[in-house]
Amino acid sequence: SNISSNVGKSGTIMLTNSGALGTVTLPSTAKTPLGLTPDWVTDSGAVSLISFYVFSSTQVLINYLGDFK
């Protein structure tokens, strides 16, 4: 994918788990706080958010908030 044309853009993705969530692997361009791997919530019906900001053509900064009740 070509992220260079999206530098400066941001958004939020809402995930509602169907109970069939497998392993999630982020691309190398995704950067998390402290470089930690998100602890994905896999419970059926769990609602989670991923917010992102395209910082550069090689870095998308993301934050994950899981399991809203």
Side-chain angles (χ1 to χ4, degrees):
S1 68
N2 183 0
I3 64 172
S4 61
S5 62
N6 292 304
V7 171
K9 294 183 181 179
S10 62
T12 303
I13 301 168
M14 183 181 86
L15 306 169
T16 302
N17 192 347
S18 66
L21 180 66
T23 302
V24 176
T25 303
L26 296 172
S28 62
T29 53
K31 306 300 177 189
T32 61
L34 301 173
L36 299 174
T37 300
D39 185 14
W40 303 107
V41 176
T42 58
D43 298 339
S44 182
V47 175
S48 302
L49 298 175
I50 296 175
S51 58
F52 66 91
Y53 175 75
V54 182
F55 182 72
S56 71
S57 63
T58 60
Q59 294 183 340
V60 179
L61 310 180
I62 70 161
N63 199 23
Y64 170 76
L65 299 168
D67 203 11
F68 285 87
K69 302 206 187 260

